[in-house]
Amino acid sequence: MSTTEQRVAVVTGAARGIGAATAVRLAAEGRAVAVIDLDEAACKDTVEKITAAGGKAIAVGADVSDEAQVQAAVARVAEELGAPTILVNNAGVLRDNLLFKMSVSDWDTVLSVHLRGSFLMTKAIQKHMVDAGWGRVVNLSSSSALGNRGQANYSAAKAGLQGFTKTLAIELGKFGITANAVAPGFIATEMTKATADRVGMGFEDFKKAAATQIPVQRVGEPEDIANAIAFFTGEAAGFVSGQVLYVAGGPLD
Ligand code: NAP
């Protein structure tokens, strides 16, 4: 690749929240960005934000847990933007419940979107990275990987992504590809708002209560996570691989 050629980034679940902030941030870093989400029309806001700022982006509708849709989406990105060499596996869902009440389908849905989705996307894109001799994969883990009441499915998926990340780093390093995980704490998005709704709290009160438990005394914003992802996907991070970075306003491990 010549130094003037634009690298192509794929961000999943980028219609809103952390994914949208990451797509905007990577575009500001000069990447052409494929904004992927379940509903292509829902990606419009993110794409418009990027193009209004002079960046390049396309919206692509795909369910990351569906192999055929993933393959079609990656083929479209390669065709319309060029070979993707940056991948942020961010798409996610919650189906919280205590273990004894958790349905098999809620277990399967969460494992399928987070783990199978990240596997399918990475498998489809790694060949472009290998051909380019350069690549960056960032997987969204979570502080819940350390265990969280009511999230047996989600914590298993997020811990699984950490093992997946380290194995990618080991297997793909010789092709100039790094893989890292960002594990957010409490970030103010629709996902945490849905949790507030579920426990019957107003979102502002829910955030205030969460902030008292966080050393920096505030909850995170999507841009806090986008900043960490921008580092891992940057040219300068080529010797940082297989790491899990907790971005939670305080220490976690
Ligand atoms: P969010 O606001 O709920 O956004 C997630 C996006 O992913 C939504 O646009 C959703 O689309 C999309 N999505 C869901 N299933 C998909 C699928 N099968 N294929 C493609 N897209 C799909 O969530 P967020 O808070 O920004 O979280 C982003 C990531 O960070 C997730 O992996 C989450 O687990 C992780 N995380 C978040 C927090 C937090 O505090 N917010 C903390 C730790 C980790 P629909 O709206 O159509 O469902």
Side-chain angles (χ1 to χ4, degrees):
M1 187 178 116
S2 81
T3 48
T4 52
E5 217 174 304
Q6 201 173 24
R7 294 203 192 275
V8 175
V10 169
V11 185
T12 68
R16 65 176 198 222
I18 292 169
T22 300
V24 168
R25 175 63 198 266
L26 296 189
E29 303 271 321
R31 314 315 193 175
V33 183
V35 176
I36 295 189
D37 212 292
L38 277 174
D39 174 17
E40 184 165 325
C43 300
K44 195 168 150 259
D45 281 358
T46 309
V47 169
E48 278 178 4
K49 226 182 242 177
I50 291 171
T51 50
K56 191 169 173 185
I58 60 167
V60 180
D63 176 347
V64 296
S65 65
D66 182 298
E67 187 180 8
Q69 289 187 40
V70 165
Q71 282 172 356
V74 172
R76 210 186 122 194
V77 173
E79 171 81 21
E80 293 183 27
L81 289 180
T85 54
I86 297 171
L87 170 62
V88 182
N89 284 310
N90 168 83
V93 290
L94 291 181
R95 295 288 185 274
D96 294 355
N97 222 329
L98 292 175
L99 179 68
F100 79 104
K101 290 194 276 189
M102 187 175 284
S103 69
V104 172
S105 111
D106 283 350
W107 172 271
D108 287 345
T109 298
V110 169
L111 273 285
S112 185
V113 175
H114 294 271
L115 270 182
R116 180 182 157 91
S118 298
F119 160 70
L120 290 174
M121 286 298 308
T122 310
K123 189 164 183 227
I125 290 184
Q126 58 81 33
K127 58 180 173 294
H128 293 293
M129 298 179 175
V130 170
D131 287 350
W134 190 95
R136 300 280 187 263
V137 181
V138 179
N139 297 314
L140 269 290
S141 180
S142 167
S143 53
S144 296
L146 302 167
N148 198 24
R149 186 178 163 83
Q151 292 195 315
N153 48 5
Y154 185 76
S155 61
K158 292 309 199 184
L161 278 170
Q162 296 190 8
F164 179 62
T165 301
K166 288 171 201 242
T167 301
L168 293 178
I170 291 165
E171 289 189 14
L172 300 176
K174 66 179 170 196
F175 303 108
I177 301 166
T178 67
N180 292 285
V182 173
F186 187 118
I187 309 300
T189 68
E190 289 297 320
M191 186 176 269
T192 37
K193 185 175 177 306
T195 304
D197 292 345
R198 190 172 55 80
V199 299
M201 269 177 93
F203 195 34
E204 287 312 310
D205 287 342
F206 192 61
K207 285 192 285 185
K208 258 187 216 146
T212 63
Q213 306 302 311
I214 299 170
V216 300
Q217 296 287 291
R218 69 168 178 89
V219 300
E221 297 298 329
E223 291 72 21
D224 289 313
I225 304 307
N227 289 337
I229 294 171
F231 166 70
F232 281 128
T233 57
E235 306 295 328
F239 203 56
V240 182
S241 196
Q243 301 304 302
V244 178
L245 180 66
Y246 285 91
V247 182
L252 289 171
D253 58 28

